[in-house]
Amino acid sequence: MTENLYSEYPEAYDALYAEKDYDAEVEFVLSEFEAAAESTPDQRRALVLGCGTGEHGKRLRAEGFDVVGVDKYPAMVERARTKTDAEFRVGELPDLPVEESFDLVWFPFTVVQHLDPDAVADSLRAAADRLAEGGVLVFDQISGEDFGDSASLRTYPSEDGTYARLTHVHEADDGASRYDALVFTPDGEFFVDTHRLFDHDDSYLEGVCNVLDLSVERFGWYDEEADPDETGHVVYVAQ
Ligand SMILES: C[S@@+](CC[C@H](N)C(=O)[O-])C[C@H]1O[C@@H](n2cnc3c(N)ncnc32)[C@H](O)[C@@H]1O
């Protein structure tokens, strides 16, 4: 995989996802967290796994959480550190450079789908092991069905100028959806970016959580009103 967007161009990642509604994602998770939490500790702690450029961590920090974010790529972590005084560490799931426990552990925006199927259970276990008593675990996945065998070209204005991305999504030999892209930067350069997303079985994900002694509720995409079975985009809240 040449995950250059994450490994080399985190500023391009932020430009491409500038329209993503991070506020709504955090608002949904906080509302579920508050509804599920057995008690609200004075100082709440959140662990963000696959934290990327730190947008969720920044918002959780502003809500008063102690935050640790972990991402596989140093470039993402370095960019996250410029945004907030939350703590960001480099680490690759299922191994976690984290000993502490947390009231909220969240894999936001397809992080679990980036994991090979044989790393999913260990990664969820690593997350569950860091949950404080009564803590809440959140992860999500988008359905690849909407994007299979499609191509698109989009432009993304940013304060540095306009980025463009030409993307081809297709099924890879291993059953994952493969996203192959050419990203054009405002300074006239371009780079290749490729990543895979697995559609993990709902019943498998829920089964892993149950084995970890967590019960799971499924929601639509960061919206209590959305029907997960209609869109296939699911947020899992486990406790
Ligand atoms: C789609 S991005 C989401 C980033 C961020 N959560 C957001 O919503 O903007 C997926 C992130 O997962 C990270 N990632 C992928 N595999 C990982 C692994 N095995 N361990 C830790 N991070 C991983 C990538 O580096 C990338 O930052």
Side-chain angles (χ1 to χ4, degrees):
M1 287 295 101
T2 45
E3 294 182 323
N4 287 323
L5 187 61
Y6 306 150
S7 64
E8 304 290 333
Y9 296 92
E11 69 290 353
Y13 180 90
D14 276 343
L16 267 42
Y17 292 101
E19 296 294 308
K20 191 155 92 73
D21 200 345
Y22 292 102
D23 288 342
E25 292 171 8
V26 171
E27 198 181 314
F28 171 87
V29 167
L30 285 184
S31 142
E32 291 310 317
F33 171 74
E34 270 147 29
E38 281 160 13
S39 64
T40 310
D42 291 342
Q43 189 50 52
R44 303 172 302 173
R45 298 153 298 174
L47 175 62
V48 185
L49 298 175
C51 63
T53 60
E55 290 294 325
H56 301 97
K58 178 175 79 178
R59 285 164 175 79
L60 290 169
R61 186 78 191 107
E63 291 289 335
F65 280 77
D66 280 342
V67 176
V68 174
V70 175
D71 201 276
K72 174 176 167 179
Y73 289 107
M76 296 299 252
V77 165
E78 272 162 36
R79 186 161 174 92
R81 286 181 181 142
T82 64
K83 297 181 182 176
T84 160
D85 67 352
E87 195 182 332
F88 296 99
R89 303 177 190 167
V90 176
E92 182 169 353
L93 288 156
D95 298 324
L96 281 182
V98 174
E99 301 295 334
E100 307 94 308
S101 60
F102 297 85
D103 307 295
L104 170 66
V105 179
W106 183 10
F107 301 76
F109 195 37
T110 71
V111 174
V112 167
Q113 291 181 270
H114 284 66
L115 302 172
D116 284 344
D118 61 8
V120 171
D122 285 347
S123 298
L124 290 176
R125 178 182 296 282
D129 283 349
R130 270 69 177 187
L131 274 182
E133 184 75 29
V136 177
L137 171 68
V138 181
F139 54 97
D140 60 41
Q141 59 172 10
I142 58 171
S143 163
E145 276 174 27
D146 288 0
F147 311 105
D149 278 326
S150 63
S152 63
L153 173 61
R154 272 197 60 189
T155 54
Y156 302 84
S158 79
E159 12 177 81
D160 302 326
T162 299
Y163 287 83
R165 178 162 62 173
L166 176 63
T167 311
H168 178 215
V169 188
H170 57 105
E171 192 177 325
D173 293 344
D174 54 12
S177 294
R178 187 166 151 152
Y179 290 69
D180 292 337
L182 257 188
V183 181
F184 300 85
T185 67
D187 53 8
E189 305 282 319
F190 58 87
F191 62 91
V192 169
D193 179 58
T194 295
H195 66 271
R196 293 177 305 170
L197 293 186
F198 289 92
D199 259 348
H200 303 301
D201 242 24
D202 256 346
S203 52
Y204 176 70
L205 294 172
E206 291 184 38
V208 171
C209 288
N210 294 158
V211 167
L212 297 170
D213 227 9
L214 297 168
S215 60
V216 191
E217 207 174 338
R218 292 162 77 252
F219 294 89
W221 195 253
Y222 293 101
D223 177 355
E224 283 189 17
E225 304 301 317
D227 177 356
D229 295 317
E230 195 173 302
T231 59
H233 302 340
V234 185
V235 180
Y236 303 82
V237 178
Q239 192 182 26

